[in-house]
């Protein structure tokens, strides 16, 4: 007998794209139900992440018109990762597998069949990996590639060119529920679950409508969250840098004493000022990095809820 599939779609101010998204996902899911690939109880779960437009009203309308569409409303905006987790945890007791994807139709819905095929082959996690980044700007492509390489250099187990387009079995979702950190970076957490996994390649499309919800500022914040949530190497780099600067300063002190004893002291205003500014800048940078980690600890120890569900249209 076919297993139940839930398509989990976080939505934030997606009124422009939601009609087309629901149409395409409904067509795909209905085709899979008719062919017997998935169970008739399979659903599309649209998660409203505190949208300020008519997104929730449209979800309610779609739910009333379409039996395949369910809706989940968070009490306020909690960010993409928390909204995605809320949808996955809500779907977990209702499904055998769940696929998370964005609402903007950049993720190719036609490869959903490939995800499910790998699931039936025994995989608990199936990652959607981009073939290429032709749709990205040069800046975004360069920074994205650099980010993945940097994360790997820090020892983080992350799938390159994979965002949040993935399938997870019920067993994998139960494993995910064991991770209770407040600072969520699902791309780094999911590989830690283990279990058998596979990769499905796809071509990412242009956004169907509306504007990206990840401008440069959010992208940089997301990247830094990922780095500080999964590696303490930046702290170790600061420690190493401290030792290096200390060693250089000792050598400089020895040199200064020798020059003074030889009576050849020369005024070095430029060097002095430059050194002060350089060391001051390094100190501020180091304090900033340490502060980020302290902020992470502050958020974790308070144990505030990652999301609060206001309404669920099942």
């Amino acid at each position: 007998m076919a297993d139940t599939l839930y398509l989990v779609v976080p939505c934030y101010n997606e009124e422009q794209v939601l009609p087309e998204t629901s149409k395409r996902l409904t067509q795909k899911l209905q085709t899979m139900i008719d062919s017997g690939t998935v169970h008739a109880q399979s659903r599309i779960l649209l998660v409203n992440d505190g949208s300020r437009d008519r997104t929730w009203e449209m979800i309610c309308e779609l739910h009333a018109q379409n039996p395949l569409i369910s809706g989940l409303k968070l009490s306020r905006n909690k960010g993409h990762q928390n909204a995605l987790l809320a949808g996955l945890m809500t779907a977990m007791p209702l499904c055998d597998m769940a696929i998370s994807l964005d609402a903007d139709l950049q993720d190719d819905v036609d490869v959903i069949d490939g995800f499910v095929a790998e699931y039936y082959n025994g995989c608990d996690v199936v990652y959607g990996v981009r073939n290429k980044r032709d749709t990205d700007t040069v800046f975004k492509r360069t920074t994205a590639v650099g980010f993945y390489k940097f994360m790997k250099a820090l020892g983080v187990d992350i799938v390159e060119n994979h965002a949040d387009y993935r399938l997870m079995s019920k067993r994998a979702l139960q494993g995910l529920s064991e991770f209770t950190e407040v600072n969520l970076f699902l791309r780094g957490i999911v590989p830690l679950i283990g279990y058998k996994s596979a990769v499905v390649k796809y071509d990412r499309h242009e956004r169907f409508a509306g504007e990206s919800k990840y401008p440069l500022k959010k992208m940089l914040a997301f990247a830094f969250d990922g780095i500080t949530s999964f590696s303490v190497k930046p702290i170790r780099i600061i420690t190493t840098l401290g030792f290096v600067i200390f060693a250089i300063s000792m050598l400089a002190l020895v040199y200064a004493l020798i020059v003074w004893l030889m009576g050849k002291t020369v005024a070095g205003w430029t060097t002095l000022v430059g050194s002060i500014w350089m060391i001051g800048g390094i100190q501020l940078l180091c304090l900033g990095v340490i502060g980020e980690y302290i902020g992470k600890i502050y958020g974790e120890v308070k144990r505030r809820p990652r999301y609060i569900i206001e309404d669920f249209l099942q």
Side-chain angles (χ1 to χ4, degrees):
M1 187 174 180
D3 287 347
T4 303
L5 167 68
Y6 264 61
L7 301 177
V8 179
V9 188
C11 303
Y12 177 66
N13 294 343
E14 298 289 2
E15 63 177 359
Q16 290 180 287
V17 74
L18 205 52
E20 184 65 22
T21 300
S22 60
K23 175 184 174 183
R24 293 192 194 181
L25 291 181
T26 297
Q27 291 174 345
K28 169 56 67 176
L29 189 58
Q30 189 62 60
T31 300
M32 297 177 76
I33 292 173
D34 293 341
S35 65
T37 305
V38 298
H39 195 274
Q41 292 300 315
S42 299
R43 294 290 183 270
I44 301 163
L45 179 57
L46 303 175
V47 183
N48 178 48
D49 182 25
S51 298
R52 298 177 181 179
D53 59 6
R54 294 191 65 256
T55 295
W56 178 244
E57 287 76 6
M58 294 178 70
I59 291 174
C60 293
E61 293 169 3
L62 290 167
H63 171 71
Q65 301 164 3
N66 187 342
L68 293 180
I69 291 181
S70 296
L72 185 69
K73 183 182 182 183
L74 303 188
S75 61
R76 61 182 293 271
N77 177 255
K78 295 295 290 184
H80 178 271
Q81 297 290 280
N82 286 299
L84 180 54
L85 182 70
L88 292 173
M89 293 300 99
T90 301
M92 181 173 66
L94 305 172
C95 70
D96 298 298
M97 53 181 158
I99 295 178
S100 57
L101 69 162
D102 291 337
D104 55 16
L105 294 176
Q106 288 188 287
D107 298 325
D108 185 4
V109 299
D110 290 329
V111 301
I112 289 177
D113 300 271
F115 281 89
V116 175
E118 292 290 354
Y119 164 80
Y120 284 128
N121 285 334
C123 292
D124 286 285
V125 181
V126 184
Y127 300 101
V129 175
R130 296 174 64 169
N131 278 317
K132 50 188 180 299
R133 288 184 167 271
D134 292 352
T135 58
D136 289 347
T137 63
V138 175
F139 175 78
K140 186 174 182 179
R141 182 164 58 248
T142 303
T143 52
V145 171
F147 169 71
Y148 285 112
K149 292 187 181 301
F150 185 60
M151 290 290 282
K152 284 184 174 294
L154 293 178
V156 181
D157 185 11
I158 190 171
V159 179
E160 194 166 347
N161 286 326
H162 163 70
D164 287 301
Y165 192 19
R166 72 178 74 87
L167 177 146
M168 299 181 71
S169 67
K170 181 187 285 288
R171 184 168 71 151
L173 290 172
Q174 289 169 341
L176 178 62
S177 68
E178 298 294 322
F179 290 80
T180 59
E181 59 251 53
V182 174
N183 300 289
L184 279 180
F185 185 69
L186 293 176
R187 300 178 199 183
I189 292 176
V190 174
L192 297 178
I193 297 172
Y195 300 140
K196 184 179 178 181
S197 64
V199 166
V200 171
K201 297 289 188 71
Y202 73 100
D203 292 322
R204 193 166 170 85
H205 305 308
E206 294 283 356
R207 183 180 175 86
F208 179 79
E211 297 180 352
S212 172
K213 304 305 182 297
Y214 266 93
L216 178 60
K217 183 179 179 181
K218 281 191 175 182
M219 285 175 57
L220 292 174
F222 182 66
F224 205 70
D225 279 344
I227 293 167
T228 53
S229 294
F230 280 86
S231 178
V232 295
K233 282 192 177 181
I235 294 287
R236 291 172 182 168
I237 290 171
I238 289 174
T239 303
T240 303
L241 186 62
F243 278 116
V244 170
I245 293 176
F246 176 73
I248 293 173
S249 65
M250 291 302 293
L251 291 174
L253 177 61
V254 171
Y255 171 76
L257 287 173
I258 292 173
V259 171
W260 177 72
L261 290 172
M262 294 175 65
K264 296 181 180 180
T265 306
V266 178
W269 183 84
T270 304
T271 304
L272 180 62
V273 171
S275 299
I276 291 173
W277 279 97
M278 182 186 72
I279 295 175
I282 292 174
Q283 288 176 330
L284 289 174
L285 175 63
C286 294
L287 285 173
V289 174
I290 295 170
E292 286 290 333
Y293 279 95
I294 294 173
K296 288 283 190 296
I297 297 170
Y298 180 65
E300 293 292 340
V301 297
K302 287 188 293 185
R303 309 307 303 165
R304 288 178 178 173
R306 291 175 290 189
Y307 57 83
I308 297 175
I309 295 174
E310 181 176 333
D311 199 1
F312 179 35
L313 306 175
Q314 190 172 353

